[in-house]
Amino acid sequence: MTPQHSSAPHTALATATRHRDWWRDAVIYQVYPRSFADSNGDGMGDLEGVRSRLPYLRDLGVDAVWLSPFYSSPQADAGYDVADYRAVDPMFGTLLDADALIRDAHGHGLRIIVDLVPNHSSDQHEWFKRALADGPGSPLRDRYHFRSGKGENGELPPNDWESIFGGPAWTRVTEPDGTPGEWYLHLFAPEQPDFNWEHPAVGDEFRSILRFWLDMGVDGFRIDVAHGLVKAEGLPDLGSHDQLKLLGNDVMPFFDQDGVHAIYRQWRTILDEYAGERIFVAEAWTPTVERTANYVRPDELHQAFNFQYLSTAWDAGELRSVIDATLTAMRPVGAPATWVLSNHDVTRHATRFANPPGLGTQIRTAGDRALGLGRARAASLLMLALPGSAYVYQGEELGLPDVVDLPDEVRQDPAYFRGEGQDGFRDGCRVPIPWTRTGSAYGFGGGGSWLPQPEGWGELSVEAQTGVAGSTLELYRAALSLRRSERDLGAGESLEWLRAPEGVLAFRRGGFVCVANTTAESVTVPAYGPVLLASGEFGEADGETKIPGDTTVWFGTPAV
Ligand code: NOJ
């Protein structure tokens, strides 16, 4: 038997844990540390701020917290450019703060998942700085993708790949002697050079980083750009100038290469040495849910985000087909489905659903806010009724919309400053959370907030919604509590579709029926049982339930 590391006190967590395989139906709450809570009044959220709000997360009823990166970083991409994987950036605190946060979370029965960024480092990482300083031929350049340029004088990039943030995926360096020299690959910003995973030192380093955080007691890792680590041999041209259209629809020479899976099989053996059911979740953008399933085979990762679900419009037919495709794809590999509506990279679903479908996941217009909020509440209740694990992005439990009118001068999304790539409107979903109705930064912290909060933000605050019947916060609290109760809503891997009017989804799971009306009109459905929860008003008469447009209702029924 492999010896198991135990590390960090898990007693409180173990007592609070409801069952084995906790992650199969867990609700995992994403904290974006910059924007959650600021303990020292510098306008930037920090780890101590997160720690102070753990009781809120415990009472909300989530199982785990995923923290976006808080490591030492020049913040060229809000921390997804890591300079030192084993240090906390002073803007977020210290390693001691991280330790205190992990311990306290466990004391509250909450698990902690940290973000691992293995596709690229910061250009301020020690390896990259030395690779540049040592000049061409430096062995440290082999840990990244350095190449000579094409053209007579090497003035053209080595291939035709484009950065996800826009512009070429290559930047030419100035060599120590002052001449224009080699190029290096960066699938994201120029400040984020891609590692060369063919080099053994890269794998060794990341296995050691995994152990560092596992020894600190974390319960898992979200793997950033999990589909990007391995590039096709020889870095072949894509041969298309429409890379953005291909992304997510095709296997690319730099994304979703089969070679990534060997890395995850190795990582899994490390994780399994540690006690306490720790997990990996992949950020893997793949063309199909079937290819996503490859990442969660039994000897690889535990979960993968369901971006197909996140990108689906509020439309019964489209939702049903992505739900079916997800459950069908996950079943053979034995992994739980995951469901997600919002995160720090996309326009919040309250704003997506306020706008007409087809605008993508980064939107600049507020749309019809009341409509968006109604649909978002209905969509959240639908998501929380599905079998598997659900991800909740901070603030969605308050029904927050995106802030669409941020002045250009406060924007920080690197994609905003480069043409042609992603739209670059990710700051809109990153505006700090309102905790109180009034006061400095609406309770976010004592010294303003790094992105301006809009007027009226306080009316959406935790304080304004707590204890208010029908508020979005109380809706989430009730839904999460029911999910946890004897109904075990997240458990299992299937559902039974029930006959329903056009534009309406209805399904049964054990002693529970969920009906989601995605149309604008009221519909009448059989009263399947007592209403447990509803995202809006509903009517009951003569054995029937009237469900208004854009509303979801949960019924308790005798099990069949
Ligand atoms: C995905 C992260 O979620 C996003 O915020 C980041 O910009 C890219 N990966 C690059 O690390």
Side-chain angles (χ1 to χ4, degrees):
M1 216 181 106
T2 331
Q4 291 219 314
H5 301 252
S6 53
S7 80
H10 280 270
T11 334
L13 184 62
T15 321
T17 299
R18 287 169 301 141
H19 49 66
R20 271 187 58 77
D21 281 354
W22 65 273
W23 46 278
R24 288 189 170 273
D25 62 353
V27 176
I28 301 180
Y29 185 96
Q30 181 187 359
V31 163
Y32 194 64
R34 293 173 148 247
S35 307
F36 192 62
D38 169 19
S39 73
N40 62 0
D42 64 357
M44 181 64 68
D46 47 44
L47 295 184
E48 192 48 28
V50 181
R51 194 169 76 90
S52 72
R53 298 292 183 183
L54 288 172
Y56 167 78
L57 296 175
R58 178 201 56 209
D59 296 345
L60 181 60
V62 300
D63 301 286
V65 177
W66 149 35
L67 295 159
S68 281
F70 50 78
Y71 316 108
S72 162
S73 159
Q75 306 288 321
D77 184 18
Y80 283 94
D81 49 321
V82 181
D84 182 348
Y85 290 84
R86 297 179 185 80
V88 172
D89 197 282
M91 98 189 338
F92 295 123
T94 63
L95 269 182
L96 279 178
D97 295 335
D99 180 61
L101 171 58
I102 296 165
R103 284 169 192 271
D104 265 30
H106 290 173
H108 289 297
L110 292 165
R111 311 219 178 216
I112 293 287
I113 293 175
V114 292
D115 221 307
L116 187 72
V117 189
N119 179 69
H120 44 263
S121 70
S122 157
D123 61 352
Q124 297 307 305
H125 189 281
E126 210 41 47
W127 287 3
F128 193 78
K129 285 200 295 190
R130 279 171 51 200
L132 280 193
D134 291 355
S138 156
L140 281 161
R141 291 204 175 185
D142 297 342
R143 298 180 185 190
Y144 295 91
H145 296 280
F146 276 85
R147 294 284 186 281
S148 303
K150 286 185 177 162
E152 212 170 309
N153 300 307
E155 71 281 9
L156 298 173
N159 73 15
D160 65 359
W161 298 358
E162 284 160 32
S163 153
I164 310 303
F165 292 160
W170 295 90
T171 290
R172 192 170 196 188
V173 305
T174 303
E175 300 298 0
D177 65 3
T179 57
E182 293 187 316
W183 297 71
Y184 67 89
L185 175 70
H186 53 87
L187 289 178
F188 295 88
E191 296 88 349
Q192 294 167 296
D194 280 50
F195 281 117
N196 171 17
W197 272 85
E198 303 299 325
H199 195 296
V202 175
D204 288 350
E205 174 66 353
F206 273 91
R207 286 190 292 276
S208 154
I209 294 166
L210 284 178
R211 288 189 187 281
F212 178 87
W213 288 102
L214 288 166
D215 290 339
M216 286 275 293
V218 303
D219 302 285
F221 300 90
R222 176 259 190 195
I223 306 170
D224 187 61
V225 199
H227 52 306
L229 277 47
V230 172
K231 277 65 180 181
E233 204 174 332
L235 311 184
D237 275 339
L238 192 62
S240 160
H241 294 294
D242 220 350
Q243 182 178 302
L244 268 190
K245 268 220 182 95
L246 294 178
L247 275 179
N249 297 316
D250 238 323
V251 176
M252 313 284 273
F254 46 81
F255 276 169
D256 202 23
Q257 292 288 309
D258 290 335
V260 293
H261 297 290
I263 298 170
Y264 300 134
R265 281 195 283 273
Q266 259 190 356
W267 286 11
R268 180 62 182 260
T269 62
I270 295 177
L271 207 69
D272 288 347
E273 284 176 32
Y274 285 78
E277 286 200 88
R278 311 194 195 192
I279 65 159
F280 287 118
V281 52
E283 186 219 17
W285 289 86
T286 72
T288 60
V289 275
E290 289 75 20
R291 284 197 70 89
T292 302
N294 290 338
Y295 290 75
V296 288
R297 288 176 284 199
D299 58 349
E300 292 194 35
L301 310 176
H302 298 75
Q303 297 185 345
F305 292 128
N306 190 343
F307 292 120
Q308 279 83 9
Y309 188 72
L310 182 148
S311 321
T312 304
W314 179 238
D315 174 277
E318 290 177 37
L319 285 163
R320 180 169 169 163
S321 57
V322 76
I323 292 168
D324 280 340
T326 303
L327 295 173
T328 307
M330 294 299 147
R331 213 167 280 128
V333 291
T338 66
W339 313 103
V340 58
L341 289 166
S342 282
N343 65 33
H344 66 292
D345 288 332
V346 298
T347 298
R348 289 178 174 280
H349 58 287
T351 299
R352 289 204 313 278
F353 296 149
N355 279 284
L359 297 182
T361 51
Q362 285 188 40
I363 301 179
R364 249 211 128 144
T365 44
D368 178 339
R369 280 198 41 186
L371 178 71
L373 179 61
R375 286 179 173 171
R377 291 162 54 99
S380 299
L381 268 204
L382 169 63
M383 168 176 88
L384 292 172
L386 294 170
S389 179
Y391 280 79
V392 170
Y393 176 50
Q394 65 178 39
E396 74 172 65
E397 79 278 19
L398 305 175
L400 294 189
D402 252 42
V403 179
V404 291
D405 54 359
L406 286 171
D408 291 353
E409 59 276 14
V410 304
R411 290 187 183 277
Q412 300 207 7
D413 181 351
Y416 184 71
F417 303 100
R418 292 169 68 90
E420 292 162 12
Q422 266 185 0
D423 291 336
F425 296 126
R426 296 181 300 169
D427 291 313
C429 64
R430 298 174 177 180
V431 173
I433 297 297
W435 292 93
T436 51
R437 273 184 204 274
T438 54
S440 169
Y442 301 108
F444 164 68
S449 66
W450 68 280
L451 282 174
Q453 298 159 303
E455 232 166 88
W457 212 224
E459 289 316 304
L460 298 170
S461 65
V462 172
E463 182 186 45
Q465 298 195 38
T466 295
V468 175
S471 72
T472 305
L473 178 57
E474 292 303 341
L475 181 72
Y476 267 76
R477 284 182 175 149
L480 294 177
S481 149
L482 278 166
R483 239 181 104 94
R484 271 212 174 155
S485 70
E486 75 286 355
R487 288 177 201 274
D488 260 339
L489 277 185
E493 55 189 34
S494 55
L495 46 78
E496 177 200 345
W497 291 112
L498 303 174
R499 193 197 294 271
E502 182 78 24
V504 177
L505 290 176
F507 59 86
R508 182 190 298 280
R509 308 196 36 234
F512 170 83
V513 166
C514 174
V515 181
N517 178 6
T518 69
T519 73
E521 311 302 327
S522 289
V523 294
T524 302
V525 298
Y528 290 102
V531 171
L532 301 173
L533 194 60
S535 70
E537 302 286 318
F538 60 93
E540 290 178 297
D542 306 327
E544 293 195 314
T545 306
K546 189 168 168 199
I547 305 183
D550 299 315
T551 303
T552 296
V553 176
W554 288 5
F555 297 93
T557 70
V560 288

